Amino acid sequence: FLDLQNQFDQDGDYSTFGQRAGDGTRKAVSDAANLIRDPKMRERYAAQSQIDAIRTNDSIIDKGRALRQQAETNALDEALELNRRLYVDPLVPEDVKAKARNEIIGAIDVSREAGLLTPDQADARKKLYLDAADFSRGALLAESDPSAVLGDTDAAALLRRFEGFREKPYWDVNAYRTGYGSDTITKENGTIVKVKPGDTITRADAERDLLRRTKEFEAGAIRSVGQDAWASLPAQARAALVSVTYNYGSLPSSVVQAVKTGDVETIASAVEGLKGHNGGVNAKRRSEEAAIIRGDASPDWFKRLSPEDQAKLRKQAETRRNQVNVETRAGIEVTADNAPTAILNTGKYDGQLPSLEQFQTAYGPVDGAERYGKFQASVETAQQAYGMRTMSADEIGQVVQGAVP
């Protein structure tokens, strides 16, 4: 029987262990009995050996069952890992990610119901292939697209989106406004002037004004609700409330009272309650701000993470964004040095010229806008200088005369 068990230990065809174990034990008993010449002793041995044969048979069958279960478990884990990799990969489309996650859930549930996994084993795999996968997805995304992880936590970014940029003044309710919905312009020297008809605001002036006013309105909101209540709010809620304050001039009393409760849903509901103000002109904005406060604007995978894991990912994304900005600045500086010279000499630049958004991402809203303006001016000057090569003296004179203020 020991030799028989050793044979099965080396046998990989566990699917037929049940059938072959019985055949093997019967043959082992028969072969051993045939060695006994005395018929009575042979018969007695055959009878007594049946118990050992049954035990050996059961042992082999149990081993086959265990091997089969292990193989099925290995196949399950391989399938789960394949789907986990699809789910966390930033380059995989969202519909494929969703399907992969659903297949992970389904495979674990079916395996538990079929008895392949115990409840504890199923829970352990859910933590590994679902919970931990959400964090892994965020960690990979933080490296490839930091802004997708940071989300709506920047009040100034929200205001750019909601207000939009206008370089010419327009009348709005009670004042002329320009830039990002502001009735003031903040000059480079720090001077603040009221917007009046005929003004033209640069992007740099608008960014400077936005950042100044964002800080002022945030300070006003903090004074209204108290430092402790403000600090206890999630970052996205603070950003959305600054947007409300910017739009109203101060935080409405109903929202102030809601913030003091510390309950995110109460705060979001209070903001939604403002939708009917001014004839509902800002109803959509109030709904978006309420969604941001609730965290509904965040993707589902992010909302499933613990607050601690969310904070870790935001920190990682912030670090990566700073690294990207340094790399972007280096590239912009090379282009800023080379492009005007190339255009001056050949009339063209083969590389790609950086955009305003890239300048602002690399250097910040204000400094980036100022640097972009200077870069554009240098490119235009180079283009004009190159064009003068084919002009007559009179044509050049006309261009120079036209450039005189």
Side-chain angles (χ1 to χ4, degrees), residues 155 159-160 163 177-184 206 209-215 217-218 221 240-251 285-286 289:
L159 290 168
R160 290 188 196 97
E163 297 288 346
R177 302 183 187 278
T178 189
Y180 296 106
S182 175
D183 61 355
T184 61
D209 192 77
L210 174 65
L211 295 183
R212 174 185 65 80
R213 285 163 58 86
T214 299
K215 292 177 182 177
F217 284 115
E218 181 175 15
L241 290 173
V242 171
S243 173
V244 174
T245 307
Y246 188 98
N247 196 209
Y248 274 82
S250 62
L251 204 57
R285 177 169 173 173
R286 298 291 90 85
E289 289 162 342

PDB file of all heavy atoms in Angstrom, residues 155 159-160 163 177-184 206 209-215 217-218 221 240-251 285-286 289:
ATOM      1  N   ALA A 155      -9.533  75.427  -5.187  1.00  0.00           N
ATOM      2  CA  ALA A 155     -10.618  76.394  -5.337  1.00  0.00           C
ATOM      3  C   ALA A 155     -10.420  77.262  -6.574  1.00  0.00           C
ATOM      4  O   ALA A 155     -11.376  77.545  -7.316  1.00  0.00           O
ATOM      5  CB  ALA A 155     -10.712  77.268  -4.080  1.00  0.00           C
ATOM      6  N   LEU A 159     -12.927  77.829  -9.801  1.00  0.00           N
ATOM      7  CA  LEU A 159     -13.423  79.129 -10.224  1.00  0.00           C
ATOM      8  C   LEU A 159     -13.093  79.402 -11.690  1.00  0.00           C
ATOM      9  O   LEU A 159     -13.889  80.024 -12.399  1.00  0.00           O
ATOM     10  CB  LEU A 159     -12.835  80.223  -9.334  1.00  0.00           C
ATOM     11  CG  LEU A 159     -13.391  80.208  -7.900  1.00  0.00           C
ATOM     12  CD1 LEU A 159     -12.582  81.112  -6.991  1.00  0.00           C
ATOM     13  CD2 LEU A 159     -14.854  80.620  -7.893  1.00  0.00           C
ATOM     14  N   ARG A 160     -11.948  78.964 -12.152  1.00  0.00           N
ATOM     15  CA  ARG A 160     -11.642  79.102 -13.575  1.00  0.00           C
ATOM     16  C   ARG A 160     -12.686  78.372 -14.411  1.00  0.00           C
ATOM     17  O   ARG A 160     -13.118  78.857 -15.463  1.00  0.00           O
ATOM     18  CB  ARG A 160     -10.249  78.543 -13.890  1.00  0.00           C
ATOM     19  CG  ARG A 160      -9.109  79.366 -13.346  1.00  0.00           C
ATOM     20  CD  ARG A 160      -7.757  78.859 -13.857  1.00  0.00           C
ATOM     21  NE  ARG A 160      -6.685  79.403 -13.042  1.00  0.00           N
ATOM     22  CZ  ARG A 160      -6.103  78.792 -12.031  1.00  0.00           C
ATOM     23  NH1 ARG A 160      -6.464  77.556 -11.710  1.00  0.00           N
ATOM     24  NH2 ARG A 160      -5.154  79.383 -11.336  1.00  0.00           N
ATOM     25  N   GLU A 163     -16.337  80.254 -13.767  1.00  0.00           N
ATOM     26  CA  GLU A 163     -16.437  81.643 -14.191  1.00  0.00           C
ATOM     27  C   GLU A 163     -16.062  81.835 -15.658  1.00  0.00           C
ATOM     28  O   GLU A 163     -16.648  82.662 -16.352  1.00  0.00           O
ATOM     29  CB  GLU A 163     -15.546  82.534 -13.318  1.00  0.00           C
ATOM     30  CG  GLU A 163     -15.930  82.568 -11.843  1.00  0.00           C
ATOM     31  CD  GLU A 163     -17.211  83.344 -11.590  1.00  0.00           C
ATOM     32  OE1 GLU A 163     -17.656  84.077 -12.503  1.00  0.00           O
ATOM     33  OE2 GLU A 163     -17.782  83.206 -10.490  1.00  0.00           O
ATOM     34  N   ARG A 177     -17.467  93.608 -15.020  1.00  0.00           N
ATOM     35  CA  ARG A 177     -16.577  92.524 -14.618  1.00  0.00           C
ATOM     36  C   ARG A 177     -15.730  92.085 -15.812  1.00  0.00           C
ATOM     37  O   ARG A 177     -16.104  92.270 -16.968  1.00  0.00           O
ATOM     38  CB  ARG A 177     -17.371  91.333 -14.079  1.00  0.00           C
ATOM     39  CG  ARG A 177     -18.247  91.691 -12.882  1.00  0.00           C
ATOM     40  CD  ARG A 177     -18.977  90.494 -12.307  1.00  0.00           C
ATOM     41  NE  ARG A 177     -19.922  90.933 -11.286  1.00  0.00           N
ATOM     42  CZ  ARG A 177     -19.597  91.189 -10.027  1.00  0.00           C
ATOM     43  NH1 ARG A 177     -18.343  91.033  -9.628  1.00  0.00           N
ATOM     44  NH2 ARG A 177     -20.500  91.602  -9.156  1.00  0.00           N
ATOM     45  N   THR A 178     -14.613  91.464 -15.498  1.00  0.00           N
ATOM     46  CA  THR A 178     -13.727  90.937 -16.528  1.00  0.00           C
ATOM     47  C   THR A 178     -12.896  89.819 -15.922  1.00  0.00           C
ATOM     48  O   THR A 178     -13.084  89.464 -14.749  1.00  0.00           O
ATOM     49  CB  THR A 178     -12.817  92.051 -17.086  1.00  0.00           C
ATOM     50  OG1 THR A 178     -12.123  91.562 -18.235  1.00  0.00           O
ATOM     51  CG2 THR A 178     -11.810  92.511 -16.052  1.00  0.00           C
ATOM     52  N   GLY A 179     -11.976  89.262 -16.705  1.00  0.00           N
ATOM     53  CA  GLY A 179     -11.167  88.165 -16.182  1.00  0.00           C
ATOM     54  C   GLY A 179     -12.030  86.987 -15.790  1.00  0.00           C
ATOM     55  O   GLY A 179     -12.849  86.505 -16.576  1.00  0.00           O
ATOM     56  N   TYR A 180     -11.920  86.558 -14.537  1.00  0.00           N
ATOM     57  CA  TYR A 180     -12.710  85.441 -14.022  1.00  0.00           C
ATOM     58  C   TYR A 180     -13.877  85.958 -13.178  1.00  0.00           C
ATOM     59  O   TYR A 180     -13.980  85.718 -11.989  1.00  0.00           O
ATOM     60  CB  TYR A 180     -11.821  84.506 -13.201  1.00  0.00           C
ATOM     61  CG  TYR A 180     -10.734  83.843 -14.016  1.00  0.00           C
ATOM     62  CD1 TYR A 180      -9.405  84.253 -13.890  1.00  0.00           C
ATOM     63  CD2 TYR A 180     -11.025  82.830 -14.925  1.00  0.00           C
ATOM     64  CE1 TYR A 180      -8.400  83.657 -14.652  1.00  0.00           C
ATOM     65  CE2 TYR A 180     -10.027  82.233 -15.689  1.00  0.00           C
ATOM     66  CZ  TYR A 180      -8.724  82.654 -15.550  1.00  0.00           C
ATOM     67  OH  TYR A 180      -7.731  82.073 -16.308  1.00  0.00           O
ATOM     68  N   GLY A 181     -14.732  86.731 -13.819  1.00  0.00           N
ATOM     69  CA  GLY A 181     -15.927  87.224 -13.141  1.00  0.00           C
ATOM     70  C   GLY A 181     -15.645  88.228 -12.035  1.00  0.00           C
ATOM     71  O   GLY A 181     -16.425  88.339 -11.089  1.00  0.00           O
ATOM     72  N   SER A 182     -14.556  88.990 -12.163  1.00  0.00           N
ATOM     73  CA  SER A 182     -14.162  89.913 -11.098  1.00  0.00           C
ATOM     74  C   SER A 182     -14.462  91.352 -11.485  1.00  0.00           C
ATOM     75  O   SER A 182     -14.366  91.728 -12.664  1.00  0.00           O
ATOM     76  CB  SER A 182     -12.667  89.756 -10.812  1.00  0.00           C
ATOM     77  OG  SER A 182     -12.242  90.725  -9.872  1.00  0.00           O
ATOM     78  N   ASP A 183     -14.795  92.172 -10.484  1.00  0.00           N
ATOM     79  CA  ASP A 183     -15.000  93.601 -10.743  1.00  0.00           C
ATOM     80  C   ASP A 183     -13.737  94.404 -10.462  1.00  0.00           C
ATOM     81  O   ASP A 183     -13.767  95.636 -10.420  1.00  0.00           O
ATOM     82  CB  ASP A 183     -16.165  94.140  -9.909  1.00  0.00           C
ATOM     83  CG  ASP A 183     -15.942  94.009  -8.414  1.00  0.00           C
ATOM     84  OD1 ASP A 183     -14.922  93.416  -8.008  1.00  0.00           O
ATOM     85  OD2 ASP A 183     -16.782  94.516  -7.637  1.00  0.00           O
ATOM     86  N   THR A 184     -12.612  93.704 -10.266  1.00  0.00           N
ATOM     87  CA  THR A 184     -11.330  94.373 -10.054  1.00  0.00           C
ATOM     88  C   THR A 184     -10.249  93.757 -10.952  1.00  0.00           C
ATOM     89  O   THR A 184     -10.396  92.636 -11.435  1.00  0.00           O
ATOM     90  CB  THR A 184     -10.865  94.256  -8.592  1.00  0.00           C
ATOM     91  OG1 THR A 184     -10.699  92.871  -8.257  1.00  0.00           O
ATOM     92  CG2 THR A 184     -11.863  94.897  -7.645  1.00  0.00           C
ATOM     93  N   ALA A 206      -5.483  88.670 -14.772  1.00  0.00           N
ATOM     94  CA  ALA A 206      -6.666  87.934 -14.323  1.00  0.00           C
ATOM     95  C   ALA A 206      -6.292  86.850 -13.322  1.00  0.00           C
ATOM     96  O   ALA A 206      -6.991  86.655 -12.313  1.00  0.00           O
ATOM     97  CB  ALA A 206      -7.398  87.328 -15.519  1.00  0.00           C
ATOM     98  N   ASP A 209      -5.407  88.458 -10.029  1.00  0.00           N
ATOM     99  CA  ASP A 209      -6.621  88.906  -9.347  1.00  0.00           C
ATOM    100  C   ASP A 209      -7.391  87.725  -8.766  1.00  0.00           C
ATOM    101  O   ASP A 209      -7.903  87.784  -7.643  1.00  0.00           O
ATOM    102  CB  ASP A 209      -7.501  89.671 -10.343  1.00  0.00           C
ATOM    103  CG  ASP A 209      -8.641  90.411  -9.664  1.00  0.00           C
ATOM    104  OD1 ASP A 209      -8.384  91.475  -9.070  1.00  0.00           O
ATOM    105  OD2 ASP A 209      -9.783  89.906  -9.733  1.00  0.00           O
ATOM    106  N   LEU A 210      -7.461  86.619  -9.537  1.00  0.00           N
ATOM    107  CA  LEU A 210      -8.185  85.430  -9.072  1.00  0.00           C
ATOM    108  C   LEU A 210      -7.551  84.868  -7.807  1.00  0.00           C
ATOM    109  O   LEU A 210      -8.252  84.541  -6.844  1.00  0.00           O
ATOM    110  CB  LEU A 210      -8.193  84.366 -10.172  1.00  0.00           C
ATOM    111  CG  LEU A 210      -8.800  83.012  -9.782  1.00  0.00           C
ATOM    112  CD1 LEU A 210     -10.288  83.154  -9.477  1.00  0.00           C
ATOM    113  CD2 LEU A 210      -8.579  81.986 -10.885  1.00  0.00           C
ATOM    114  N   LEU A 211      -6.229  84.731  -7.811  1.00  0.00           N
ATOM    115  CA  LEU A 211      -5.559  84.166  -6.641  1.00  0.00           C
ATOM    116  C   LEU A 211      -5.716  85.070  -5.419  1.00  0.00           C
ATOM    117  O   LEU A 211      -5.912  84.580  -4.298  1.00  0.00           O
ATOM    118  CB  LEU A 211      -4.079  83.934  -6.945  1.00  0.00           C
ATOM    119  CG  LEU A 211      -3.785  82.884  -8.034  1.00  0.00           C
ATOM    120  CD1 LEU A 211      -2.282  82.691  -8.189  1.00  0.00           C
ATOM    121  CD2 LEU A 211      -4.440  81.549  -7.709  1.00  0.00           C
ATOM    122  N   ARG A 212      -5.644  86.382  -5.629  1.00  0.00           N
ATOM    123  CA  ARG A 212      -5.833  87.307  -4.494  1.00  0.00           C
ATOM    124  C   ARG A 212      -7.244  87.175  -3.931  1.00  0.00           C
ATOM    125  O   ARG A 212      -7.435  87.034  -2.715  1.00  0.00           O
ATOM    126  CB  ARG A 212      -5.595  88.742  -4.964  1.00  0.00           C
ATOM    127  CG  ARG A 212      -5.899  89.804  -3.890  1.00  0.00           C
ATOM    128  CD  ARG A 212      -5.765  91.202  -4.445  1.00  0.00           C
ATOM    129  NE  ARG A 212      -6.743  91.492  -5.480  1.00  0.00           N
ATOM    130  CZ  ARG A 212      -8.011  91.837  -5.237  1.00  0.00           C
ATOM    131  NH1 ARG A 212      -8.462  91.915  -3.986  1.00  0.00           N
ATOM    132  NH2 ARG A 212      -8.837  92.110  -6.232  1.00  0.00           N
ATOM    133  N   ARG A 213      -8.230  87.188  -4.820  1.00  0.00           N
ATOM    134  CA  ARG A 213      -9.623  87.135  -4.364  1.00  0.00           C
ATOM    135  C   ARG A 213      -9.973  85.769  -3.777  1.00  0.00           C
ATOM    136  O   ARG A 213     -10.762  85.678  -2.827  1.00  0.00           O
ATOM    137  CB  ARG A 213     -10.559  87.476  -5.536  1.00  0.00           C
ATOM    138  CG  ARG A 213     -10.569  88.960  -5.866  1.00  0.00           C
ATOM    139  CD  ARG A 213     -11.151  89.224  -7.249  1.00  0.00           C
ATOM    140  NE  ARG A 213     -12.502  88.726  -7.384  1.00  0.00           N
ATOM    141  CZ  ARG A 213     -13.603  89.410  -7.039  1.00  0.00           C
ATOM    142  NH1 ARG A 213     -13.495  90.617  -6.506  1.00  0.00           N
ATOM    143  NH2 ARG A 213     -14.799  88.884  -7.223  1.00  0.00           N
ATOM    144  N   THR A 214      -9.393  84.711  -4.341  1.00  0.00           N
ATOM    145  CA  THR A 214      -9.652  83.374  -3.793  1.00  0.00           C
ATOM    146  C   THR A 214      -9.216  83.306  -2.330  1.00  0.00           C
ATOM    147  O   THR A 214      -9.944  82.793  -1.468  1.00  0.00           O
ATOM    148  CB  THR A 214      -8.908  82.299  -4.609  1.00  0.00           C
ATOM    149  OG1 THR A 214      -9.378  82.320  -5.961  1.00  0.00           O
ATOM    150  CG2 THR A 214      -9.150  80.915  -4.027  1.00  0.00           C
ATOM    151  N   LYS A 215      -8.024  83.842  -2.040  1.00  0.00           N
ATOM    152  CA  LYS A 215      -7.531  83.848  -0.653  1.00  0.00           C
ATOM    153  C   LYS A 215      -8.414  84.707   0.237  1.00  0.00           C
ATOM    154  O   LYS A 215      -8.717  84.347   1.382  1.00  0.00           O
ATOM    155  CB  LYS A 215      -6.092  84.359  -0.623  1.00  0.00           C
ATOM    156  CG  LYS A 215      -5.094  83.422  -1.277  1.00  0.00           C
ATOM    157  CD  LYS A 215      -3.691  84.024  -1.280  1.00  0.00           C
ATOM    158  CE  LYS A 215      -2.705  83.106  -1.990  1.00  0.00           C
ATOM    159  NZ  LYS A 215      -1.340  83.719  -2.056  1.00  0.00           N
ATOM    160  N   PHE A 217     -11.655  85.468  -0.180  1.00  0.00           N
ATOM    161  CA  PHE A 217     -12.960  84.847   0.045  1.00  0.00           C
ATOM    162  C   PHE A 217     -12.856  83.608   0.929  1.00  0.00           C
ATOM    163  O   PHE A 217     -13.774  83.320   1.702  1.00  0.00           O
ATOM    164  CB  PHE A 217     -13.629  84.514  -1.288  1.00  0.00           C
ATOM    165  CG  PHE A 217     -14.200  85.728  -1.982  1.00  0.00           C
ATOM    166  CD1 PHE A 217     -13.689  86.159  -3.192  1.00  0.00           C
ATOM    167  CD2 PHE A 217     -15.227  86.452  -1.400  1.00  0.00           C
ATOM    168  CE1 PHE A 217     -14.206  87.282  -3.822  1.00  0.00           C
ATOM    169  CE2 PHE A 217     -15.759  87.575  -2.025  1.00  0.00           C
ATOM    170  CZ  PHE A 217     -15.237  87.997  -3.239  1.00  0.00           C
ATOM    171  N   GLU A 218     -11.754  82.879   0.818  1.00  0.00           N
ATOM    172  CA  GLU A 218     -11.564  81.742   1.723  1.00  0.00           C
ATOM    173  C   GLU A 218     -11.426  82.236   3.161  1.00  0.00           C
ATOM    174  O   GLU A 218     -12.016  81.661   4.082  1.00  0.00           O
ATOM    175  CB  GLU A 218     -10.333  80.934   1.338  1.00  0.00           C
ATOM    176  CG  GLU A 218     -10.116  79.728   2.251  1.00  0.00           C
ATOM    177  CD  GLU A 218      -8.966  78.845   1.815  1.00  0.00           C
ATOM    178  OE1 GLU A 218      -8.165  79.281   0.987  1.00  0.00           O
ATOM    179  OE2 GLU A 218      -8.890  77.705   2.319  1.00  0.00           O
ATOM    180  N   ALA A 221     -14.839  83.056   4.423  1.00  0.00           N
ATOM    181  CA  ALA A 221     -15.610  81.855   4.759  1.00  0.00           C
ATOM    182  C   ALA A 221     -15.161  81.281   6.098  1.00  0.00           C
ATOM    183  O   ALA A 221     -15.984  80.853   6.913  1.00  0.00           O
ATOM    184  CB  ALA A 221     -15.455  80.812   3.655  1.00  0.00           C
ATOM    185  N   ALA A 240     -15.227  73.828  -2.851  1.00  0.00           N
ATOM    186  CA  ALA A 240     -16.566  74.150  -3.343  1.00  0.00           C
ATOM    187  C   ALA A 240     -17.182  75.318  -2.565  1.00  0.00           C
ATOM    188  O   ALA A 240     -17.863  76.176  -3.142  1.00  0.00           O
ATOM    189  CB  ALA A 240     -17.469  72.923  -3.251  1.00  0.00           C
ATOM    190  N   LEU A 241     -16.937  75.375  -1.268  1.00  0.00           N
ATOM    191  CA  LEU A 241     -17.487  76.465  -0.458  1.00  0.00           C
ATOM    192  C   LEU A 241     -16.823  77.801  -0.787  1.00  0.00           C
ATOM    193  O   LEU A 241     -17.467  78.853  -0.722  1.00  0.00           O
ATOM    194  CB  LEU A 241     -17.329  76.143   1.027  1.00  0.00           C
ATOM    195  CG  LEU A 241     -18.234  75.009   1.537  1.00  0.00           C
ATOM    196  CD1 LEU A 241     -17.885  74.651   2.977  1.00  0.00           C
ATOM    197  CD2 LEU A 241     -19.707  75.404   1.430  1.00  0.00           C
ATOM    198  N   VAL A 242     -15.552  77.780  -1.150  1.00  0.00           N
ATOM    199  CA  VAL A 242     -14.898  79.012  -1.606  1.00  0.00           C
ATOM    200  C   VAL A 242     -15.556  79.477  -2.907  1.00  0.00           C
ATOM    201  O   VAL A 242     -15.762  80.679  -3.118  1.00  0.00           O
ATOM    202  CB  VAL A 242     -13.388  78.793  -1.814  1.00  0.00           C
ATOM    203  CG1 VAL A 242     -12.758  80.009  -2.508  1.00  0.00           C
ATOM    204  CG2 VAL A 242     -12.698  78.555  -0.486  1.00  0.00           C
ATOM    205  N   SER A 243     -15.923  78.537  -3.770  1.00  0.00           N
ATOM    206  CA  SER A 243     -16.608  78.875  -5.017  1.00  0.00           C
ATOM    207  C   SER A 243     -17.947  79.553  -4.721  1.00  0.00           C
ATOM    208  O   SER A 243     -18.306  80.553  -5.358  1.00  0.00           O
ATOM    209  CB  SER A 243     -16.828  77.613  -5.855  1.00  0.00           C
ATOM    210  OG  SER A 243     -17.626  77.882  -6.982  1.00  0.00           O
ATOM    211  N   VAL A 244     -18.688  79.016  -3.753  1.00  0.00           N
ATOM    212  CA  VAL A 244     -19.970  79.623  -3.370  1.00  0.00           C
ATOM    213  C   VAL A 244     -19.733  81.039  -2.825  1.00  0.00           C
ATOM    214  O   VAL A 244     -20.432  81.995  -3.181  1.00  0.00           O
ATOM    215  CB  VAL A 244     -20.683  78.763  -2.312  1.00  0.00           C
ATOM    216  CG1 VAL A 244     -21.942  79.465  -1.804  1.00  0.00           C
ATOM    217  CG2 VAL A 244     -21.043  77.399  -2.888  1.00  0.00           C
ATOM    218  N   THR A 245     -18.734  81.177  -1.955  1.00  0.00           N
ATOM    219  CA  THR A 245     -18.431  82.480  -1.351  1.00  0.00           C
ATOM    220  C   THR A 245     -18.030  83.488  -2.418  1.00  0.00           C
ATOM    221  O   THR A 245     -18.449  84.651  -2.390  1.00  0.00           O
ATOM    222  CB  THR A 245     -17.292  82.331  -0.320  1.00  0.00           C
ATOM    223  OG1 THR A 245     -17.630  81.300   0.609  1.00  0.00           O
ATOM    224  CG2 THR A 245     -17.066  83.629   0.429  1.00  0.00           C
ATOM    225  N   TYR A 246     -17.228  83.077  -3.370  1.00  0.00           N
ATOM    226  CA  TYR A 246     -16.770  83.938  -4.462  1.00  0.00           C
ATOM    227  C   TYR A 246     -17.973  84.443  -5.260  1.00  0.00           C
ATOM    228  O   TYR A 246     -18.041  85.611  -5.656  1.00  0.00           O
ATOM    229  CB  TYR A 246     -15.832  83.135  -5.354  1.00  0.00           C
ATOM    230  CG  TYR A 246     -15.121  83.908  -6.436  1.00  0.00           C
ATOM    231  CD1 TYR A 246     -13.816  84.353  -6.253  1.00  0.00           C
ATOM    232  CD2 TYR A 246     -15.730  84.162  -7.671  1.00  0.00           C
ATOM    233  CE1 TYR A 246     -13.133  85.040  -7.252  1.00  0.00           C
ATOM    234  CE2 TYR A 246     -15.067  84.846  -8.683  1.00  0.00           C
ATOM    235  CZ  TYR A 246     -13.769  85.287  -8.469  1.00  0.00           C
ATOM    236  OH  TYR A 246     -13.106  85.970  -9.459  1.00  0.00           O
ATOM    237  N   ASN A 247     -18.918  83.558  -5.502  1.00  0.00           N
ATOM    238  CA  ASN A 247     -20.085  83.891  -6.308  1.00  0.00           C
ATOM    239  C   ASN A 247     -21.054  84.827  -5.578  1.00  0.00           C
ATOM    240  O   ASN A 247     -21.653  85.707  -6.180  1.00  0.00           O
ATOM    241  CB  ASN A 247     -20.788  82.606  -6.715  1.00  0.00           C
ATOM    242  CG  ASN A 247     -21.784  82.788  -7.847  1.00  0.00           C
ATOM    243  OD1 ASN A 247     -22.760  82.054  -7.944  1.00  0.00           O
ATOM    244  ND2 ASN A 247     -21.558  83.743  -8.736  1.00  0.00           N
ATOM    245  N   TYR A 248     -21.172  84.648  -4.253  1.00  0.00           N
ATOM    246  CA  TYR A 248     -22.119  85.441  -3.464  1.00  0.00           C
ATOM    247  C   TYR A 248     -21.476  86.678  -2.831  1.00  0.00           C
ATOM    248  O   TYR A 248     -22.176  87.615  -2.467  1.00  0.00           O
ATOM    249  CB  TYR A 248     -22.726  84.581  -2.353  1.00  0.00           C
ATOM    250  CG  TYR A 248     -23.938  83.787  -2.795  1.00  0.00           C
ATOM    251  CD1 TYR A 248     -23.777  82.577  -3.460  1.00  0.00           C
ATOM    252  CD2 TYR A 248     -25.225  84.231  -2.555  1.00  0.00           C
ATOM    253  CE1 TYR A 248     -24.868  81.835  -3.873  1.00  0.00           C
ATOM    254  CE2 TYR A 248     -26.327  83.513  -2.965  1.00  0.00           C
ATOM    255  CZ  TYR A 248     -26.143  82.303  -3.631  1.00  0.00           C
ATOM    256  OH  TYR A 248     -27.246  81.584  -4.045  1.00  0.00           O
ATOM    257  N   GLY A 249     -20.176  86.645  -2.648  1.00  0.00           N
ATOM    258  CA  GLY A 249     -19.506  87.729  -1.934  1.00  0.00           C
ATOM    259  C   GLY A 249     -19.257  87.370  -0.485  1.00  0.00           C
ATOM    260  O   GLY A 249     -18.306  87.843   0.133  1.00  0.00           O
ATOM    261  N   SER A 250     -20.099  86.518   0.045  1.00  0.00           N
ATOM    262  CA  SER A 250     -19.925  85.962   1.397  1.00  0.00           C
ATOM    263  C   SER A 250     -20.698  84.657   1.449  1.00  0.00           C
ATOM    264  O   SER A 250     -21.563  84.405   0.597  1.00  0.00           O
ATOM    265  CB  SER A 250     -20.431  86.934   2.468  1.00  0.00           C
ATOM    266  OG  SER A 250     -21.831  87.163   2.307  1.00  0.00           O
ATOM    267  N   LEU A 251     -20.407  83.839   2.431  1.00  0.00           N
ATOM    268  CA  LEU A 251     -21.071  82.544   2.534  1.00  0.00           C
ATOM    269  C   LEU A 251     -22.485  82.744   3.074  1.00  0.00           C
ATOM    270  O   LEU A 251     -22.665  83.318   4.158  1.00  0.00           O
ATOM    271  CB  LEU A 251     -20.277  81.630   3.465  1.00  0.00           C
ATOM    272  CG  LEU A 251     -20.450  80.121   3.300  1.00  0.00           C
ATOM    273  CD1 LEU A 251     -20.106  79.677   1.879  1.00  0.00           C
ATOM    274  CD2 LEU A 251     -19.564  79.378   4.295  1.00  0.00           C
ATOM    275  N   ARG A 285     -24.507  75.303 -11.419  1.00  0.00           N
ATOM    276  CA  ARG A 285     -23.277  75.463 -10.637  1.00  0.00           C
ATOM    277  C   ARG A 285     -23.476  74.995  -9.207  1.00  0.00           C
ATOM    278  O   ARG A 285     -22.615  74.331  -8.627  1.00  0.00           O
ATOM    279  CB  ARG A 285     -22.835  76.917 -10.681  1.00  0.00           C
ATOM    280  CG  ARG A 285     -21.601  77.216  -9.834  1.00  0.00           C
ATOM    281  CD  ARG A 285     -21.081  78.603 -10.132  1.00  0.00           C
ATOM    282  NE  ARG A 285     -20.011  79.011  -9.235  1.00  0.00           N
ATOM    283  CZ  ARG A 285     -19.304  80.130  -9.365  1.00  0.00           C
ATOM    284  NH1 ARG A 285     -19.572  80.948 -10.380  1.00  0.00           N
ATOM    285  NH2 ARG A 285     -18.355  80.441  -8.507  1.00  0.00           N
ATOM    286  N   ARG A 286     -24.635  75.343  -8.599  1.00  0.00           N
ATOM    287  CA  ARG A 286     -24.903  74.908  -7.223  1.00  0.00           C
ATOM    288  C   ARG A 286     -24.970  73.383  -7.130  1.00  0.00           C
ATOM    289  O   ARG A 286     -24.483  72.781  -6.164  1.00  0.00           O
ATOM    290  CB  ARG A 286     -26.230  75.506  -6.726  1.00  0.00           C
ATOM    291  CG  ARG A 286     -26.301  77.018  -6.642  1.00  0.00           C
ATOM    292  CD  ARG A 286     -25.418  77.602  -5.549  1.00  0.00           C
ATOM    293  NE  ARG A 286     -24.084  77.907  -6.001  1.00  0.00           N
ATOM    294  CZ  ARG A 286     -23.738  79.062  -6.605  1.00  0.00           C
ATOM    295  NH1 ARG A 286     -24.647  79.998  -6.840  1.00  0.00           N
ATOM    296  NH2 ARG A 286     -22.498  79.262  -6.966  1.00  0.00           N
ATOM    297  N   GLU A 289     -21.407  72.098  -7.286  1.00  0.00           N
ATOM    298  CA  GLU A 289     -20.710  72.356  -6.023  1.00  0.00           C
ATOM    299  C   GLU A 289     -21.168  71.386  -4.943  1.00  0.00           C
ATOM    300  O   GLU A 289     -20.348  70.875  -4.164  1.00  0.00           O
ATOM    301  CB  GLU A 289     -20.959  73.802  -5.579  1.00  0.00           C
ATOM    302  CG  GLU A 289     -20.247  74.830  -6.454  1.00  0.00           C
ATOM    303  CD  GLU A 289     -20.809  76.236  -6.304  1.00  0.00           C
ATOM    304  OE1 GLU A 289     -21.944  76.375  -5.801  1.00  0.00           O
ATOM    305  OE2 GLU A 289     -20.130  77.194  -6.701  1.00  0.00           O
TER     306      GLU A 289
END
